[in-house]
Amino acid sequence: SSFTKKKYNGPSFQYVHFYGANQLVRGSNASANFMNRFPSYGSAYRGNVLLSTRLLKHNESGELAHRSSMSYEIPESLLPKLTNYLLKVMIYQGSDFGSRGQNNAGKKGKYSLGISIGSYEIRSSFRVYENGYVNWVQLCELNQINLPADLRQLPDTILTVYRGSESNHQSIAYARINSVELLPNGLSNVSAVWHKLDHDQSHRSNSTIGYPGEVLIKMSLSHVEDIDTSQDWESERKKIETRKPYCLRLFIYQCRNLPAIDEYGLLDPYIKIRFCGVKRTTKRLSSTLNPAFYECLQFDQLLPEDLTLAPNVLIQVWDQKTLNHSPIGAIRIPVADLPSYKSFLVPPPTPTWREFHGIDGKRNLGEVLVSFQLFEKKSLDQNVVAPESIIPSLRRCYLDLHLVGLRELLKVGRRNIVKPYLQIDVAGQSYGEIIQTGGSRTPSPNNPNFLERQEVMLNLPENPLFTPTMEIKCYDQRFGGSVLIGIATIPLNNKLPWNGEEYIPPRQHLIHEANIKEQKILLKKRKLNNESKKKITTTNTTNWNPNDDIIKDEDDEDENAPLLKSKVVDTGLGIFPLEDSHREPGSKYTELPKIIDQEELDRIANLKKKRKERKQQLKLERKRLSNNDDDDDSDDDDDFDDANLLGDNDGLDNSKSLNQLRNVLGIPSTWANNDFLNGREWWLQMPDKIIQSDGPDDGLANSNKELENYLETFPFENYYIYRGHISFNKFNKRKETVRKIGLLKCIIRVTSKNPSYDVEYNKFFKSIKQVNNCVVRVYIIKASNLQPIKSFFSKSLPDPYIKISLGGQEINDVKKSITKQTIHPDFYCYYEFKTTLPGPSALKISIFNHKKYFGSDNLLGETIIDCEDRYLHPKWTSLGDIKPVENRNLFKIGSQTSQGLVLLWVDIMTAAEAEAIEPIKISGPEKQEYEIRVIVWRSRNVRGRRGGIKDLFVKVFMENDKVHETDTHWRCKNGKASWNWRIKIPITLPLKAKELGRLHIQTFDRNIIISNEILGEATVNLFEWLMLAYHKKSTSIHPFKELREAKKKIAAGYVFQGPDNHTDSKVQEISEEL
């Protein structure tokens, strides 16, 4: 009949579960509504829905699925199967409910623990919260729980802590557990687990400060048919009721890298330990992120015989302000994992660094150096021997600080920087006095120079493990008081000369992180090699050889690891073995050697003279070989698959034959000679990873060749100044505002000698204290491999131009440098800036895309060059007057992927030198108008897919250019057509890219009604011929004719006369020496 239901033929049904705020919530609040909207934050089960889903093709009738009624008869086979489960829980105890213990819960507050799965719930009785924990020790069972047999459809198991009484209570904390995790073990092999709780935000009255505690339960969920009746859980009560007296000692040494939790930027930290309801705290230190405590906290408690049931040790770090206390991070450590000792006379074990976790469970909240001792006592009243002092043995030394200045300081809020100064503290005054510089606004408040040398005597630990962390705080002097701008934290363990292999001498900080990683690997190898040598033979330390500690391995010859070179030349950068009387005990390296002396200056002068002579010799050799290729046997330099001349070389497939053709035809390698690059290409010609480019081949390498790879090290130590804090909202979501706001340039060294009598460092400080008026000249040649511009529908080529700045000076060169529609722009631009060094030094070179009509120009990529690091670097000064060209990566903020390359070089000179030396004139090849003439004579054997008679015509066009057509030859048989049609194609040379030199020839079959049918295409590579025409100026070039004549010459016995091996090796020898 018409009332009979249709049979359902869709997919199977499944349960979808809802989670939200606890049902005990009265009224409505924002937190509860948020939990109801976002189930991942829900603290309670709120029901389910049975549904099926399927993807249908669009219904053209316009019927909306959610409005159509379901009148189907559902077969039982498509409904999810249900089965009976048994939930069995042994509830032991809860610990540390509320971050403030009894004060938060009330001295006689009562708590109950509820365990729910779906709509089923079991609860413990309400017990009093005393001494920091609730002791339930209660076995609960829930039978005949009807849930889906498909494990994927099981609801979460939720633990809920209630506070109050049987008649009046509310939820304060909860934990959600995936029910599938409770199934595999059944009722056997189940162990008790401490579950960390989260604050329940359903109630407005609940406190969300700190850590809500944890509960110890043993829980299992099993199918009824899989129940093991032999397992007796009643005996589990005895494990926690049987207790023994224990003594737990925690040795708190120091913390490092704690985060600020407010905009003030500093902490007043202290450590709080919670264990078995007892709370112990350390002393409070003020205004530091790296506190040193060196305290021992002791707990005497009765613990279960099975230590896995004992409460965890909760280590918290707090910030104490005038009106409130705020948690920063915490660590939970199981007692069963702590080392136990029988004798109380055992010294404290070696501490380890442990990371703090936030309320969200994630790390990156600082570290604490801590160790533990667990002793079993005869009784709680037993007197035990007091622990030894954990204050490390100290060593008198000197801290020598060369404070150059701050760079690129950002303003705080809306207020500009006025007069910044530094305050330097070593671990909260625990090891020495606080150092403070004077305020400076010279040459500018955002780039102040201090140019101070601070020498302080202090005591540092003998054991590098306990080395404190130096804090450098940057303040700004303003009307009404000083304001903290940011902080830099600097570990000192690698600056201790007695720290053996981990010691890094001053001015040896590598520029690139990859080099640092390689250095660490080599240091480990060297350490292992030293240990093996000690086992085999004993060495005489008084006759130490610097090469003895170096592994004889090929990896040790890495030029990126200057610390490990076996042959050291005194350039002011290497490491030198000193006299035995000057060597620190337990170390092979001490002070930095001479920075640069008169002998070194003479050596550099002689080197410059030799280099100049060799350059003249190399120029003559290259001039003699200018008509020949550099290497017969080298691979083809062209980057394209169609690199052969005209796309068809008639069997001349090898690169040697192509080189012969190019030599006979006189095809040049570049559009222009680029004489201004003579003597500057040596750095680009060094072996390196080549980045493939489809840009124009102008004889310049497309490799990533930043000059920092040559300099290797910084002349100063660079440390970033950070500002910001880490905070959590009520749903434990982390918010970080930490950012870099500036850069500190300095040299920090620790020495056992009084630095006041160090002649070389006195001389070095005088050299950096002298401020010079300098001129920075930037020559930007071109960019390559820029990224296309993304729009809503497609990608397009950008219109790049240059924006360059140094200090407060900025040049927005839209008119001069803009290049239309290309990712390989040629700039040939020159810029000049005046600055003081030391002083503002960040040279920022940015490439923007120009938007013609609407919207702001967007950044394509930028690179930053530190002129100060170059000007004061010994390797830079040794390069002489001709600085090398470099290829620099372009980056965008938030991306580590290169956005392209820019080819440039930088000259830095004094103002007097700039007046005497004229800027170098750089220019690219001049644009000239040419015409390509193509004569389409006839065709043969041009056949279509269907054969028969064709109406043929030809299209001819250059890459990305206008299309030109011949007339149509109607009714052609056998693919024969005759046009005798000349096509003129205007073209501007030089071309921006190689692919623009491709000539495309296409044949079509003309159709009147439907679209034309393409029959074939040929591509002719004219790039090198266009380059030849550009150099011959007024002479016409006939590619096919000249190519035939060149092949005839080769066939007639013409031999390509390339450079002999002797001459080639001579050029290579001179180039390598330069």
Side-chain angles (χ1 to χ4, degrees), residues 930-938 953-958 961-968 979-987 999-1004 1022:
Y930 283 79
E931 187 178 78
I932 300 175
R933 296 180 180 179
V934 181
I935 301 177
V936 184
W937 297 98
R938 57 184 178 273
F953 71 97
V954 177
K955 290 184 178 181
V956 179
F957 60 94
M958 296 297 291
D961 201 358
K962 180 182 176 181
V963 178
H964 305 267
E965 292 184 7
T966 66
D967 64 346
T968 304
W979 293 281
N980 300 333
W981 195 273
R982 186 177 70 171
I983 296 174
K984 294 182 179 181
I985 305 175
I987 189 170
L999 177 68
H1000 297 273
I1001 304 172
Q1002 299 173 341
T1003 57
F1004 283 83
L1022 296 178

Side-chain angles (χ1 to χ4, degrees), residues 559-844:
E559 63 180 3
N560 292 330
L563 295 180
L564 307 179
K565 291 183 179 179
S566 58
K567 295 182 179 179
V568 185
V569 180
D570 186 0
T571 62
L573 294 173
I575 298 175
F576 296 81
L578 304 181
E579 297 293 335
D580 294 326
S581 58
H582 298 295
R583 188 174 303 137
E584 297 281 357
S587 171
K588 296 174 183 176
Y589 306 123
T590 54
E591 316 299 332
L592 184 72
K594 294 182 178 182
I595 303 300
I596 194 164
D597 53 15
Q598 187 60 41
E599 182 180 352
E600 179 68 9
L601 291 174
D602 295 339
R603 189 187 69 82
I604 293 176
N606 292 332
L607 181 63
K608 289 181 180 180
K609 185 178 179 181
K610 285 185 178 180
R611 177 175 293 172
K612 187 175 182 181
E613 295 175 355
R614 300 298 280 172
K615 280 180 181 177
Q616 294 292 338
Q617 186 177 356
L618 178 61
K619 188 175 182 180
L620 294 175
E621 290 289 340
R622 285 179 173 172
K623 187 175 181 180
R624 189 173 66 84
L625 301 173
S626 60
N627 294 326
N628 299 324
D629 288 321
D630 291 336
D631 189 358
D632 279 355
D633 300 326
S634 61
D635 294 329
D636 188 16
D637 293 333
D638 205 318
D639 294 328
F640 295 95
D641 294 333
D642 57 350
N644 51 316
L645 298 175
L646 292 179
D648 182 10
N649 53 17
D650 293 341
L652 298 173
D653 293 329
N654 57 76
S655 59
K656 183 175 180 178
S657 299
L658 285 175
N659 287 336
Q660 287 180 326
L661 281 174
R662 292 188 179 101
N663 182 71
V664 173
L665 294 169
I667 292 178
S669 59
T670 61
W671 293 100
N673 294 326
N674 295 334
D675 294 334
F676 53 85
L677 292 177
N678 289 340
R680 302 183 186 273
E681 311 95 328
W682 62 268
W683 173 239
L684 294 180
Q685 295 168 358
M686 294 287 289
D688 195 3
K689 181 179 179 180
I690 300 299
I691 299 177
Q692 296 297 329
S693 168
D694 53 0
D697 184 8
D698 54 3
L700 301 176
N702 285 312
S703 59
N704 172 19
K705 284 290 189 176
E706 297 182 358
L707 204 58
E708 282 76 8
N709 294 326
Y710 170 77
L711 300 177
E712 294 181 337
T713 59
F714 289 109
F716 305 109
E717 298 169 18
N718 297 334
Y719 300 102
Y720 284 108
I721 306 293
Y722 291 92
R723 179 180 177 84
H725 66 282
I726 296 178
S727 59
F728 298 90
N729 64 8
K730 59 173 59 179
F731 293 102
N732 301 337
K733 188 175 181 181
R734 181 181 303 212
K735 179 182 178 181
E736 294 191 31
T737 63
V738 180
R739 63 195 185 278
K740 300 174 183 176
I741 64 158
L743 183 70
L744 170 64
K745 297 201 170 190
C746 61
I747 291 179
I748 302 173
R749 69 178 188 131
V750 178
T751 174
S752 59
K753 299 184 302 183
N754 190 338
S756 300
Y757 304 104
D758 193 326
V759 178
E760 299 302 329
Y761 269 95
N762 292 340
K763 181 180 178 181
F764 171 69
F765 177 67
K766 289 181 181 179
S767 65
I768 65 172
K769 193 174 181 180
Q770 181 180 359
V771 179
N772 298 314
N773 293 324
C774 295
V775 174
V776 178
R777 292 174 176 173
V778 187
Y779 302 87
I780 302 178
I781 302 171
K782 67 170 186 173
S784 58
N785 300 326
L786 300 179
Q787 300 301 310
I789 300 301
K790 295 181 181 179
S791 60
F792 291 103
F793 305 103
S794 62
K795 293 183 179 180
S796 59
L797 295 177
D799 297 337
Y801 70 90
I802 296 173
K803 182 185 290 185
I804 185 169
S805 63
L806 176 62
Q809 311 168 66
E810 182 177 273
I811 300 175
N812 193 349
D813 194 7
V814 181
K815 295 182 179 179
K816 181 180 176 183
S817 63
I818 190 169
T819 308
K820 300 289 185 179
Q821 296 291 305
T822 180
I823 60 173
H824 307 291
D826 293 331
F827 294 121
Y828 295 98
C829 294
Y830 156 76
Y831 306 96
E832 182 173 299
F833 296 94
K834 294 181 180 180
T835 185
T836 58
L837 296 178
S841 60
L843 177 65
K844 181 185 292 187

Side-chain angles (χ1 to χ4, degrees), residues 890-899:
L890 297 170
F891 292 99
K892 294 174 70 173
I893 297 176
S895 175
Q896 299 296 325
T897 304
S898 175
Q899 305 297 310

Side-chain angles (χ1 to χ4, degrees), residues 529-545 548-549 588:
N529 186 66
N530 290 342
E531 292 177 356
S532 62
K533 285 183 178 181
K534 290 179 181 178
K535 293 179 181 179
I536 298 174
T537 180
T538 58
T539 58
N540 184 359
T541 58
T542 58
N543 296 324
W544 175 71
N545 187 344
D548 292 342
D549 286 346
K588 296 174 183 176

